[in-house]
Amino acid sequence: MGQLFSDTSKDEDCGELESSFTACFKTNTESKIIPQETIDSIELHLTKGNIQGANSVISAALKNIDNIPINVAVTGESGAGKSSLINALRGVGPEDEDAAEVGVIATTMRRTAYKHPKIQTLTLWDLPGTETVNFPLKDYLEKMKFQEYDFFIIVSATRFTKLDLDLAKAIKFMKKNYYFVRTKVDLDLDNEKKCNPRTFDREKTLQQIRSIYVNAFSQNNMDALKIFLISNNNLSDYDFPFLMDTLVKDLPDQKRYNFMLSLANITEPAIDRKRNSMQQAVWLEACKAGLLATVPVVGILRDDVEKVKEKLNHYRVLFGVDDESLEAMAKDSQVPVEQLKKKIKSPYLLETEGETTLGEMFLKYLEKFTSATGGPLATGLYFRKTYYLEYLFLDTVTEDAKVLLRQI
């Protein structure tokens, strides 16, 4: 790795590091992946030229991000679409091996845990419908371990019930966040259009559905809340993107990163937010490893190559542009998988031509990166060779995800 700083340049390099850190983490509060007090502590260490102190704080923050669990409770009436919503949040199809069963009326009184396939710290809990239990709500809350969840999603499909209201009151009493989701609005719109083809007004119908729930809460002296109207069959339409934005915004900073990575690529802004979060994590990892140094082009070793390949594959998986995701996407959209691969760049990013050495390949990508992006490089901060490539990987898989989103 070599020496981080020479004695003569330590103050100057610390200044560049501090400037780059501030630029990287000068994001909206809703996008930060570490708490402000942690950011302030890192900046203080950098101001004093204490790289080891900064790295210590960063290491603790990254460990917390990697290990802290996120538990989401999905509850509501049976048949409202809870299982479909859980599958949508996990990015799995109804026929996938580990999918929550759709269309099955729950008969068990036990909660069921579903791990996110890519983010192991995220668990979604399917709770039995409150109308299926034969014991008081207080006992229901205790049996379902309500204190363990970060937030609740209350799902409804047809009507607002007193049980929904009582559940919302109980969650509010525990000072937890809850979000009311009205599913199957696509079916409501289809029915309304069939019944009133000449006078059908899509937005008016949606507003009528929303008003039913808002008025019910108001009439029962509950604060007005946002009602998210969604279709589990079409996540990019209706309010699902707004629901995801709200969940991310309301989560604590240290839980925001992994939850952000779990989200489906349903809009281009969602893809950009995922990239922004990962860029912050890459920067933190770079500092943690003590990577402030002039980039050595020579001496790129075999283990470096393997680590670089692993990192690129990891990014492709998180952004849904890996081979397995492409095959599933091709099957769903009924197009050849090779047709999708031709539209993206990340599968071929580390290919070399002829006698090109890895060092020459790295120089080529480094030149491409510095000409196309700003960020830390623009401030004079130098990371170890692999971190230049990681930023390139992020840019590439981000654009690939957008290309595929437009394609499908």
Side-chain angles (χ1 to χ4, degrees), residues 293-309:
T294 302
V295 180
V297 176
V298 298
I300 299 179
L301 304 176
R302 186 181 300 255
D303 63 335
D304 290 324
V305 180
E306 293 306 313
K307 289 177 183 178
V308 164
K309 288 180 179 179

PDB file of all heavy atoms in Angstrom, residues 293-309:
ATOM      1  N   ALA A 293      -3.200   8.073  -1.999  1.00  0.00           N
ATOM      2  CA  ALA A 293      -1.859   7.855  -2.541  1.00  0.00           C
ATOM      3  C   ALA A 293      -1.876   8.147  -4.026  1.00  0.00           C
ATOM      4  O   ALA A 293      -2.925   8.150  -4.645  1.00  0.00           O
ATOM      5  CB  ALA A 293      -1.412   6.416  -2.308  1.00  0.00           C
ATOM      6  N   THR A 294      -0.709   8.384  -4.590  1.00  0.00           N
ATOM      7  CA  THR A 294      -0.615   8.521  -6.034  1.00  0.00           C
ATOM      8  C   THR A 294      -0.898   7.171  -6.663  1.00  0.00           C
ATOM      9  O   THR A 294      -0.444   6.146  -6.184  1.00  0.00           O
ATOM     10  CB  THR A 294       0.783   8.990  -6.439  1.00  0.00           C
ATOM     11  OG1 THR A 294       1.041  10.235  -5.792  1.00  0.00           O
ATOM     12  CG2 THR A 294       0.885   9.168  -7.947  1.00  0.00           C
ATOM     13  N   VAL A 295      -1.671   7.168  -7.727  1.00  0.00           N
ATOM     14  CA  VAL A 295      -2.095   5.898  -8.319  1.00  0.00           C
ATOM     15  C   VAL A 295      -0.917   5.184  -8.962  1.00  0.00           C
ATOM     16  O   VAL A 295      -0.283   5.723  -9.862  1.00  0.00           O
ATOM     17  CB  VAL A 295      -3.166   6.145  -9.393  1.00  0.00           C
ATOM     18  CG1 VAL A 295      -3.596   4.816 -10.003  1.00  0.00           C
ATOM     19  CG2 VAL A 295      -4.339   6.869  -8.781  1.00  0.00           C
ATOM     20  N   PRO A 296      -0.588   3.959  -8.544  1.00  0.00           N
ATOM     21  CA  PRO A 296       0.479   3.202  -9.195  1.00  0.00           C
ATOM     22  C   PRO A 296      -0.079   2.413 -10.371  1.00  0.00           C
ATOM     23  O   PRO A 296      -0.929   1.565 -10.189  1.00  0.00           O
ATOM     24  CB  PRO A 296       0.941   2.261  -8.078  1.00  0.00           C
ATOM     25  CG  PRO A 296      -0.265   2.058  -7.230  1.00  0.00           C
ATOM     26  CD  PRO A 296      -1.133   3.281  -7.377  1.00  0.00           C
ATOM     27  N   VAL A 297       0.367   2.719 -11.566  1.00  0.00           N
ATOM     28  CA  VAL A 297      -0.120   2.003 -12.735  1.00  0.00           C
ATOM     29  C   VAL A 297       0.575   0.659 -12.854  1.00  0.00           C
ATOM     30  O   VAL A 297       0.000  -0.308 -13.310  1.00  0.00           O
ATOM     31  CB  VAL A 297       0.112   2.835 -14.009  1.00  0.00           C
ATOM     32  CG1 VAL A 297      -0.290   2.060 -15.247  1.00  0.00           C
ATOM     33  CG2 VAL A 297      -0.673   4.138 -13.911  1.00  0.00           C
ATOM     34  N   VAL A 298       1.828   0.582 -12.450  1.00  0.00           N
ATOM     35  CA  VAL A 298       2.561  -0.672 -12.540  1.00  0.00           C
ATOM     36  C   VAL A 298       2.217  -1.534 -11.337  1.00  0.00           C
ATOM     37  O   VAL A 298       1.682  -1.064 -10.335  1.00  0.00           O
ATOM     38  CB  VAL A 298       4.077  -0.407 -12.581  1.00  0.00           C
ATOM     39  CG1 VAL A 298       4.424   0.395 -13.806  1.00  0.00           C
ATOM     40  CG2 VAL A 298       4.533   0.327 -11.324  1.00  0.00           C
ATOM     41  N   GLY A 299       2.504  -2.799 -11.465  1.00  0.00           N
ATOM     42  CA  GLY A 299       2.342  -3.693 -10.322  1.00  0.00           C
ATOM     43  C   GLY A 299       0.900  -4.040 -10.037  1.00  0.00           C
ATOM     44  O   GLY A 299       0.542  -4.290  -8.895  1.00  0.00           O
ATOM     45  N   ILE A 300       0.053  -4.068 -11.044  1.00  0.00           N
ATOM     46  CA  ILE A 300      -1.314  -4.529 -10.836  1.00  0.00           C
ATOM     47  C   ILE A 300      -1.278  -6.050 -10.815  1.00  0.00           C
ATOM     48  O   ILE A 300      -0.999  -6.697 -11.814  1.00  0.00           O
ATOM     49  CB  ILE A 300      -2.238  -4.013 -11.949  1.00  0.00           C
ATOM     50  CG1 ILE A 300      -2.243  -2.490 -11.938  1.00  0.00           C
ATOM     51  CG2 ILE A 300      -3.643  -4.548 -11.774  1.00  0.00           C
ATOM     52  CD1 ILE A 300      -3.114  -1.888 -13.022  1.00  0.00           C
ATOM     53  N   LEU A 301      -1.551  -6.627  -9.663  1.00  0.00           N
ATOM     54  CA  LEU A 301      -1.314  -8.037  -9.451  1.00  0.00           C
ATOM     55  C   LEU A 301      -2.542  -8.867  -9.779  1.00  0.00           C
ATOM     56  O   LEU A 301      -3.647  -8.363  -9.953  1.00  0.00           O
ATOM     57  CB  LEU A 301      -0.899  -8.266  -7.986  1.00  0.00           C
ATOM     58  CG  LEU A 301       0.319  -7.450  -7.531  1.00  0.00           C
ATOM     59  CD1 LEU A 301       0.564  -7.694  -6.053  1.00  0.00           C
ATOM     60  CD2 LEU A 301       1.550  -7.791  -8.357  1.00  0.00           C
ATOM     61  N   ARG A 302      -2.317 -10.182  -9.833  1.00  0.00           N
ATOM     62  CA  ARG A 302      -3.392 -11.098 -10.174  1.00  0.00           C
ATOM     63  C   ARG A 302      -4.550 -11.013  -9.176  1.00  0.00           C
ATOM     64  O   ARG A 302      -5.718 -11.063  -9.552  1.00  0.00           O
ATOM     65  CB  ARG A 302      -2.851 -12.538 -10.218  1.00  0.00           C
ATOM     66  CG  ARG A 302      -3.859 -13.559 -10.713  1.00  0.00           C
ATOM     67  CD  ARG A 302      -3.222 -14.926 -10.692  1.00  0.00           C
ATOM     68  NE  ARG A 302      -2.051 -14.942 -11.567  1.00  0.00           N
ATOM     69  CZ  ARG A 302      -2.041 -15.530 -12.752  1.00  0.00           C
ATOM     70  NH1 ARG A 302      -3.115 -16.126 -13.188  1.00  0.00           N
ATOM     71  NH2 ARG A 302      -0.948 -15.513 -13.485  1.00  0.00           N
ATOM     72  N   ASP A 303      -4.222 -10.893  -7.881  1.00  0.00           N
ATOM     73  CA  ASP A 303      -5.295 -10.813  -6.902  1.00  0.00           C
ATOM     74  C   ASP A 303      -6.086  -9.516  -7.063  1.00  0.00           C
ATOM     75  O   ASP A 303      -7.277  -9.465  -6.764  1.00  0.00           O
ATOM     76  CB  ASP A 303      -4.758 -10.938  -5.476  1.00  0.00           C
ATOM     77  CG  ASP A 303      -3.812  -9.815  -5.098  1.00  0.00           C
ATOM     78  OD1 ASP A 303      -3.208  -9.235  -6.011  1.00  0.00           O
ATOM     79  OD2 ASP A 303      -3.680  -9.537  -3.892  1.00  0.00           O
ATOM     80  N   ASP A 304      -5.421  -8.450  -7.541  1.00  0.00           N
ATOM     81  CA  ASP A 304      -6.145  -7.213  -7.818  1.00  0.00           C
ATOM     82  C   ASP A 304      -7.189  -7.449  -8.907  1.00  0.00           C
ATOM     83  O   ASP A 304      -8.310  -6.947  -8.825  1.00  0.00           O
ATOM     84  CB  ASP A 304      -5.182  -6.118  -8.283  1.00  0.00           C
ATOM     85  CG  ASP A 304      -4.269  -5.632  -7.169  1.00  0.00           C
ATOM     86  OD1 ASP A 304      -4.753  -5.562  -6.029  1.00  0.00           O
ATOM     87  OD2 ASP A 304      -3.106  -5.345  -7.447  1.00  0.00           O
ATOM     88  N   VAL A 305      -6.808  -8.204  -9.929  1.00  0.00           N
ATOM     89  CA  VAL A 305      -7.718  -8.489 -11.038  1.00  0.00           C
ATOM     90  C   VAL A 305      -8.955  -9.217 -10.515  1.00  0.00           C
ATOM     91  O   VAL A 305     -10.093  -8.878 -10.852  1.00  0.00           O
ATOM     92  CB  VAL A 305      -7.019  -9.338 -12.120  1.00  0.00           C
ATOM     93  CG1 VAL A 305      -7.987  -9.625 -13.268  1.00  0.00           C
ATOM     94  CG2 VAL A 305      -5.785  -8.628 -12.638  1.00  0.00           C
ATOM     95  N   GLU A 306      -8.733 -10.218  -9.694  1.00  0.00           N
ATOM     96  CA  GLU A 306      -9.852 -10.999  -9.162  1.00  0.00           C
ATOM     97  C   GLU A 306     -10.761 -10.136  -8.291  1.00  0.00           C
ATOM     98  O   GLU A 306     -11.986 -10.244  -8.356  1.00  0.00           O
ATOM     99  CB  GLU A 306      -9.339 -12.206  -8.376  1.00  0.00           C
ATOM    100  CG  GLU A 306      -8.638 -13.245  -9.240  1.00  0.00           C
ATOM    101  CD  GLU A 306      -9.499 -13.698 -10.404  1.00  0.00           C
ATOM    102  OE1 GLU A 306     -10.686 -13.995 -10.178  1.00  0.00           O
ATOM    103  OE2 GLU A 306      -8.985 -13.743 -11.538  1.00  0.00           O
ATOM    104  N   LYS A 307     -10.164  -9.290  -7.469  1.00  0.00           N
ATOM    105  CA  LYS A 307     -10.966  -8.408  -6.613  1.00  0.00           C
ATOM    106  C   LYS A 307     -11.777  -7.433  -7.446  1.00  0.00           C
ATOM    107  O   LYS A 307     -12.936  -7.146  -7.138  1.00  0.00           O
ATOM    108  CB  LYS A 307     -10.046  -7.651  -5.649  1.00  0.00           C
ATOM    109  CG  LYS A 307      -9.438  -8.516  -4.563  1.00  0.00           C
ATOM    110  CD  LYS A 307      -8.485  -7.716  -3.685  1.00  0.00           C
ATOM    111  CE  LYS A 307      -7.828  -8.607  -2.641  1.00  0.00           C
ATOM    112  NZ  LYS A 307      -6.848  -7.844  -1.814  1.00  0.00           N
ATOM    113  N   VAL A 308     -11.156  -6.920  -8.513  1.00  0.00           N
ATOM    114  CA  VAL A 308     -11.858  -5.997  -9.391  1.00  0.00           C
ATOM    115  C   VAL A 308     -13.044  -6.692 -10.053  1.00  0.00           C
ATOM    116  O   VAL A 308     -14.145  -6.145 -10.127  1.00  0.00           O
ATOM    117  CB  VAL A 308     -10.890  -5.428 -10.460  1.00  0.00           C
ATOM    118  CG1 VAL A 308     -11.654  -4.781 -11.602  1.00  0.00           C
ATOM    119  CG2 VAL A 308      -9.956  -4.409  -9.827  1.00  0.00           C
ATOM    120  N   LYS A 309     -12.838  -7.921 -10.526  1.00  0.00           N
ATOM    121  CA  LYS A 309     -13.923  -8.667 -11.168  1.00  0.00           C
ATOM    122  C   LYS A 309     -15.058  -8.942 -10.181  1.00  0.00           C
ATOM    123  O   LYS A 309     -16.239  -8.829 -10.527  1.00  0.00           O
ATOM    124  CB  LYS A 309     -13.380  -9.984 -11.731  1.00  0.00           C
ATOM    125  CG  LYS A 309     -12.498  -9.819 -12.955  1.00  0.00           C
ATOM    126  CD  LYS A 309     -12.001 -11.171 -13.452  1.00  0.00           C
ATOM    127  CE  LYS A 309     -11.139 -11.001 -14.706  1.00  0.00           C
ATOM    128  NZ  LYS A 309     -10.618 -12.316 -15.193  1.00  0.00           N
TER     129      LYS A 309
END
